[in-house]
Amino acid sequence: MSPNVHFSIKMTTIADYIIQQEGDERRFSFEVLPPLKGNGTEALFSTIDKLVPFNPAFINITTHHSEYVYRELPGGQFERLRTRRRPGTIAIAAAIQQKYHIPVEPHVICSGTTVEQIEYELLDLQFLGIRNLMLLRGDKAKEDSRFTPTPGGHAHTTDLIRQVVRFNEGFFADGTPIKHPGRKFDFGVACYPEKHEEAPNLEMDMQFLKEKQDLGAQYAVTQLFYDNEKYFAFVKKAREMGITIPIIPGIKPMAKLSQLTVVPKTFHCDIPEALAKEIVKCKNDEQARQLGIEWTTEQCRELYVNGIRNIHFYTVSAVDSVAEVARRLL
C-alpha cells in the first residue's frame, strides 16, 4: 500500500491537513474499534481494506475503559473482576499506520486510567511516531450512575488536555522536566450538536468546547447526528461564541430496524421525523440498511453544498454502508 500522498514530511498532522486543505477537495475519515480481547487483526484489517480506496484523511481508533465482569466460584458464589474487553488501542494504531501509511488518531481517555498511565501512553505514542490524538473523558462505567474518575485520574477532558499540553511543553505531570522531549502532539476533541447527555443545556456544553479550544484543541469532531439543521445551528452558535476551530461532522448510516430506538437511547440524538416515518415502513434490516445509505448520501451532499469538505464516518456495524455512501459521493 503506497503512502497517502496528502501527508508529506512537512504536513504530518490532521490539524495541518484541515488548515491547508485546498479548494473543493473532499476527504473522509473513519472511526474503527480495536479487536476484542483474544481476537486477531484480520477482521479489523478487512474493514480498513474496504475503506482505503476512499483515500481517508485519517483513521480514528477508539479505546475503552475496563469494566466489571463476574466469574462463578465453586459453591455458587461470584467474584467481581475488572477487565478490558478491547485492549490494544495504541498497538492497533501503530499497526494501521505501518500497514497502510495513513495517519492514525487513537483515543486517549480519562475513564478507567490514571495520570501516570496516561503519561506512559503518551511516551509510547511518541516512540511510535504517532502525533495525532483524540482527547476524551470517556463514558461512565456501566455499573455507575454518574462518571466517577479513577483514583489518581482526571475527572474532565480539560484536565487531560492540560496534561498533554504540559507534556508538549516538556514536563511530566509532576513537574519533572523531560530530558529529551519528542515531537509535540496535535489533538482534537469531541462535541455534541444536540448536547452531551450530562450537560444541563447546550449553551453550557458549548462553553466547555470553547474552554477546550482555548486550552489548545485544534479541531472538534461531532457526535453522530441525522438532522443537518442541528449541525448547522450548532456551528453558527459556536462561531458566535468565539469557537473558531474546524468542526467536523460525524455521520453514521442507519443499518438495522432496531436502531430506530437504540440509536437515540445510546447516542442521545434525535431521529428526524421524515427518517423515522420511512424506517417504520421497512419490513426487514436490508430495507432499513438501504434507506440508511440513501439518507446518509443525501445528508452528506447537503453538507457539501454548505461548504463542508471533511466528513467523519462511524463505521461500527455499518462499514459496508459507509463504503457504499463513500462510493456514491466520490
Side-chain angles (χ1 to χ4, degrees):
M1 195 69 61
S2 61
N4 185 325
V5 297
H6 292 277
F7 281 81
S8 65
I9 293 175
K10 293 182 179 180
M11 189 167 63
T12 55
T13 70
I14 294 167
D16 284 343
Y17 169 74
I18 294 170
I19 293 169
Q20 299 181 34
Q21 192 173 6
E22 297 180 357
D24 292 333
E25 181 185 13
R26 299 172 179 176
R27 295 291 294 279
F28 305 129
S29 54
F30 304 103
E31 180 175 285
V32 299
L33 284 174
L36 284 168
K37 182 179 179 180
N39 289 359
T41 59
E42 291 80 4
L44 174 61
F45 287 162
S46 177
T47 291
I48 296 174
D49 287 342
K50 296 176 182 178
L51 305 174
V52 166
F54 307 110
N55 193 26
F58 63 91
I59 293 177
N60 178 297
I61 305 99
T62 68
T63 192
H64 298 267
H65 57 67
S66 58
E67 58 189 63
Y68 285 117
V69 296
Y70 294 86
R71 182 177 66 182
E72 187 171 5
L73 300 174
Q77 293 184 320
F78 287 85
E79 179 183 17
R80 189 168 75 163
L81 305 171
R82 293 198 71 92
T83 186
R84 292 189 68 182
R85 298 181 65 241
R86 293 182 184 273
T89 294
I90 293 175
I92 287 296
I96 292 171
Q97 184 164 272
Q98 181 180 33
K99 180 176 175 65
Y100 296 98
H101 304 282
I102 295 171
V104 291
E105 182 194 54
H107 289 191
V108 176
I109 66 174
C110 306
S111 181
T113 190
T114 67
V115 170
E116 184 179 30
Q117 288 168 336
I118 290 169
E119 200 161 81
Y120 283 113
E121 287 180 20
L122 297 178
L123 288 167
D124 287 343
L125 288 162
Q126 204 171 59
F127 293 155
L128 292 165
I130 294 172
R131 297 185 58 196
N132 303 292
L133 310 176
M134 174 59 67
L135 303 185
L136 306 165
R137 188 199 71 178
D139 297 331
K140 64 181 179 63
K142 293 178 181 178
E143 65 273 8
D144 292 340
S145 60
R146 58 190 293 273
F147 181 81
T148 303
T150 297
H154 295 308
H156 305 287
T157 308
T158 48
D159 299 324
L160 174 59
I161 291 174
R162 290 186 179 94
Q163 179 178 355
V164 173
V165 169
R166 191 68 170 146
F167 189 93
N168 279 346
E169 292 171 345
F171 295 92
F172 291 119
D174 64 0
T176 304
I178 301 172
K179 290 183 178 180
H180 301 285
R183 300 181 75 175
K184 296 181 179 181
F185 292 106
D186 280 20
F187 56 89
V189 294
C191 61
Y192 304 85
E194 297 172 70
K195 91 171 183 65
H196 190 278
E197 62 172 310
E198 298 173 25
N201 54 65
L202 182 60
E203 289 72 19
M204 187 172 291
D205 197 26
M206 295 183 75
Q207 289 171 10
F208 292 136
L209 178 58
K210 175 68 162 57
E211 184 178 2
K212 294 173 189 176
Q213 170 191 272
D214 293 346
L215 287 171
Q218 292 152 302
Y219 55 95
V221 179
T222 75
Q223 174 64 283
L224 59 88
F225 61 90
Y226 294 91
D227 185 345
N228 282 352
E229 289 306 315
K230 293 187 175 180
Y231 169 78
F232 296 140
F234 179 82
V235 173
K236 181 176 183 294
K237 188 172 185 63
R239 300 310 181 220
E240 291 171 351
M241 293 178 63
I243 299 170
T244 59
I245 56 176
I247 299 174
I248 302 172
I251 305 293
K252 182 175 182 177
M254 284 279 181
K256 295 181 180 179
L257 283 170
S258 61
Q259 291 177 346
L260 177 62
T261 54
V262 171
V263 166
K265 181 179 179 180
T266 304
F267 298 101
H268 308 282
C269 64
D270 288 339
I271 304 299
E273 184 179 4
L275 176 57
K277 285 182 175 179
E278 293 302 315
I279 292 175
V280 297
K281 296 178 185 178
C282 295
K283 297 179 180 179
N284 52 51
D285 283 346
E286 179 55 28
Q287 289 184 4
R289 192 179 80 85
Q290 290 300 324
L291 172 63
I293 291 171
E294 295 291 340
W295 181 275
T296 302
T297 301
E298 292 309 309
Q299 187 180 1
C300 293
R301 285 173 176 160
E302 184 180 29
L303 291 170
Y304 286 152
V305 168
N306 284 270
I308 301 302
R309 293 294 173 262
N310 295 282
I311 295 177
H312 186 69
F313 285 109
Y314 297 101
T315 70
V316 178
S317 302
V319 62
D320 291 330
S321 295
V322 167
E324 177 59 27
V325 170
R327 273 191 289 270
R328 295 184 183 195
L329 293 173
L330 289 180

